[in-house]
Amino acid sequence: MKAVVRLAVFSVLLLSVAAPAGATEFRSTDVQPDGYPTVEAVKFMGQALSKATGGKLTIKVFNNSALGSEKDTIEQTRIGALAMTRVNISPMNNICPTTVVPTLPFLFKSKEHMRKVLDGPVGEEILKSCEAQGFVGLAFYDSGARSIYTVKKPVKALADVKGLKVRVQQSDLWVSVMEAMSANATPMPFGEVYTALKTGLVDAAENNIPSYESTRHFEVAKFYSRTEHSMAPEILLFSKKVWDGLSDGDRKAIRAAAKESVPYMRKLWDEREEKSLAIVKAGGAQVIEVNKASFQAVMKPVYDKFVTDPKMRDLVKRVQDTK
């Protein structure tokens, strides 16, 4: 908690840095390194926003976990110490219940299905629902398909996961997903995973190919098994406390710039997936196809536990019915 407070104070100081007269520079955060699609997409959003407002509104991105973990920056954004943060949707599950829906395992049929759902009414409803918790949801970015990667042995079927210590995001849902697979879920901040894999603190982790590559996790966990158990998206959140102090025109410009950044992010993402796959293979990683049906078959308890009210059940059905 003290670390969070220190980070929040530091962020407030950053927000007070002098800017040109009449101009506002919003601070945004990301845990990913330079060049990562989410980082570049928010920079693109900042350029679009600056152009649309004649330089009145700009965005500065503090990436590579410079202002803390996703959990830290979510809290800083909630209290208004930061204007914006880009995080994976999973850490929001315990804060904004409807964000559980797009996080559910094996919910989306394909990348195209996921994009259509999140660009439509279901996506807008989920973004809107976060306002009650202090966030203005601006957009969803891709996060690819998450798969399991291991240090000692490949995972080819469900039985191979049994007993493995698997790092997961700090989310109750992800703990339950791994427990359904009979693994030992180990919640841990993103920045600690490389060392945990290298030292044997965990046997495995799960993420998309670009993250597996950019973090160099493939150097210590060389078996990447394509379980593709989730397409949980990234979410771009603005502080409602900051938002409430803006004019209607400024809010409209921010929303428009955020939406404009989505197709740009997806273009970068698709290119990055191909590039990252080539890099990890060249680095000695084995990419393994798995029996996905065995994983899907054990997920009903996860749905029963987390899809707990009529509204959420309706959202799930609307996702599944989207063609």
Side-chain angles (χ1 to χ4, degrees), residues 58-314:
T58 58
I59 296 170
K60 183 173 178 62
V61 181
F62 292 83
N63 62 301
N64 213 25
S65 300
L67 298 183
S69 68
E70 290 190 333
K71 188 176 180 181
D72 294 332
T73 61
I74 286 169
E75 182 57 27
Q76 291 177 63
T77 303
R78 188 212 293 263
I79 66 175
L82 285 168
M84 195 164 71
T85 189
R86 191 291 310 161
V87 294
N88 188 268
I89 202 169
S90 297
M92 288 295 293
N93 291 169
N94 296 336
I95 300 168
C96 181
T98 57
T99 63
V100 168
V101 173
T103 318
L104 290 165
F106 301 106
L107 177 69
F108 298 114
K109 304 178 186 75
S110 65
K111 175 168 63 179
E112 292 71 27
H113 180 230
M114 179 267 296
R115 289 175 175 176
K116 187 171 184 180
V117 168
L118 296 181
D119 288 347
V122 171
E124 287 299 324
E125 192 171 325
I126 294 169
L127 291 174
K128 179 73 175 174
S129 71
C130 294
E131 288 192 20
Q133 283 75 38
F135 305 93
V136 175
L138 295 177
F140 289 110
Y141 288 159
D142 280 27
S143 188
R146 300 179 73 93
S147 293
I148 294 172
Y149 47 93
T150 49
V151 176
K152 294 180 179 178
K153 63 177 184 178
V155 166
K156 295 180 181 178
L158 180 67
D160 298 325
V161 184
K162 186 175 183 179
L164 291 181
K165 291 180 291 183
V166 184
R167 179 269 171 178
V168 295
Q169 296 176 81
Q170 292 161 300
S171 157
D172 292 344
L173 184 141
W174 279 107
V175 170
S176 293
V177 168
M178 287 302 143
E179 288 176 346
M181 295 182 189
S182 298
N184 294 322
T186 307
M188 183 183 299
F190 186 65
E192 298 176 14
V193 182
Y194 184 99
T195 300
L197 289 164
K198 188 173 183 179
T199 60
L201 182 62
V202 296
D203 304 308
E206 54 83 47
N207 217 316
N208 56 58
I209 281 280
S211 291
Y212 176 60
E213 175 263 314
S214 69
T215 54
R216 312 297 292 181
H217 289 178
F218 69 92
E219 295 175 346
V220 289
K222 290 192 173 291
F223 303 104
Y224 189 91
S225 300
R226 278 188 146 148
T227 51
E228 297 186 334
H229 48 268
S230 176
M231 293 185 186
E234 314 285 2
I235 188 169
L236 191 59
L237 299 167
F238 205 93
S239 170
K240 192 168 188 303
K241 185 165 283 192
V242 177
W243 186 263
D244 287 346
L246 300 175
S247 69
D248 289 344
D250 288 350
R251 294 174 190 171
K252 185 176 179 181
I254 292 166
R255 285 195 184 278
K259 294 301 183 187
E260 190 177 340
S261 73
V262 172
Y264 179 74
M265 187 275 169
R266 288 174 178 170
K267 176 179 179 293
L268 294 181
W269 183 263
D270 291 344
E271 293 170 353
R272 181 61 181 264
E273 280 194 322
E274 290 186 18
K275 180 181 176 183
S276 294
L277 184 59
I279 289 171
V280 300
K281 285 182 174 179
Q286 296 181 36
V287 179
I288 299 139
E289 299 300 326
V290 306
N291 173 15
K292 290 183 189 177
S294 64
F295 292 89
Q296 289 173 298
V298 297
M299 291 299 147
K300 187 177 182 300
V302 178
Y303 279 71
D304 290 344
K305 181 176 180 179
F306 289 93
V307 185
T308 54
D309 62 60
K311 181 180 178 181
M312 290 180 70
R313 284 193 287 271
D314 177 64

